[in-house]
Amino acid sequence: MRSNHSGYSRLTTFHKLSAVGLAATGAAALVFTVTGNAAAQTQSVGIKPVAWNAKAPATVDQSTLTRHATDAAAKAKTEADTKKKAAAEAGRDRAKGAAAGRSEARKPVRVAPKSYADNLDGWISQALDIMHAKGIPGSYDGIKRNIMRESSGNPQAINDWDVNAQAGIP
């Protein structure tokens, strides 16, 4: 049977059995964990200490075990202190490096002036860069079309025939 909600369908028998099996496994694990700890606690009273290596005899007294445990704890503490000091030094080095990077980032950057070719392509590129800096839209092809229409690309062309030329503005 289909569900009344779009995108949702009823669980199949396989899915239902899988969920039941998973729940049963979890419950069994919980039971074994609880009973396993109780059994281990009752048996731990009669267990003898184990030797540190295969060649050593199985008779190790409690003072030796305590000494080894104390030495291991002291070694762990020393290693932890060393790691903390190293982390603190690394943090200071990073802070110094970051401060140097920030101060260097604040210095003004000198940019060499861009050079353009002394031909039509260079002139158009220079005009486009100036237009871009001033926020004026334009394209290479559009500027080239205007240049070719007005002067055929001749930089020495002079207007001597229209209204402006007649008014004295060539």
Side-chain angles (χ1 to χ4, degrees):
M1 180 157 112
R2 296 191 59 110
S3 173
N4 292 335
H5 300 287
S6 175
Y8 294 99
S9 61
R10 301 186 119 208
L11 292 176
T12 63
T13 305
F14 177 75
H15 289 110
K16 290 177 186 177
L17 290 175
S18 296
V20 169
L22 187 60
T25 304
L30 183 62
V31 167
F32 285 127
T33 302
V34 171
T35 59
N37 284 344
Q41 288 172 356
T42 59
Q43 292 178 356
S44 66
V45 175
I47 296 177
K48 293 183 180 180
V50 178
W52 288 99
N53 59 35
K55 294 179 182 178
T59 57
V60 178
D61 60 346
Q62 189 63 33
S63 63
T64 306
L65 294 175
T66 306
R67 184 172 41 88
H68 285 296
T70 306
D71 291 346
K75 184 178 177 182
K77 184 179 182 208
T78 304
E79 288 176 0
D81 290 343
T82 304
K83 286 182 181 180
K84 284 181 185 177
K85 287 179 184 177
E89 288 176 12
R92 275 187 254 126
D93 291 345
R94 267 186 265 126
K96 287 179 184 176
R102 286 192 302 266
S103 64
E104 288 176 9
R106 293 182 188 135
K107 291 179 183 176
V109 179
R110 289 186 162 198
V111 179
K114 191 172 181 181
S115 62
Y116 301 96
D118 191 22
N119 58 21
L120 184 61
D121 182 53
W123 301 328
I124 293 173
S125 297
Q126 184 178 10
L128 281 172
D129 286 345
I130 294 170
M131 290 170 60
H132 178 71
K134 303 286 183 180
I136 302 169
S139 69
Y140 183 92
D141 291 333
I143 293 174
K144 186 173 181 179
R145 263 186 270 127
N146 283 346
I147 289 172
M148 298 310 284
R149 183 183 65 236
E150 293 179 2
S151 67
S152 299
N154 180 4
Q156 304 300 323
I158 297 176
N159 177 5
D160 59 359
W161 56 269
D162 69 357
V163 177
N164 291 327
Q166 292 172 2
I169 305 170

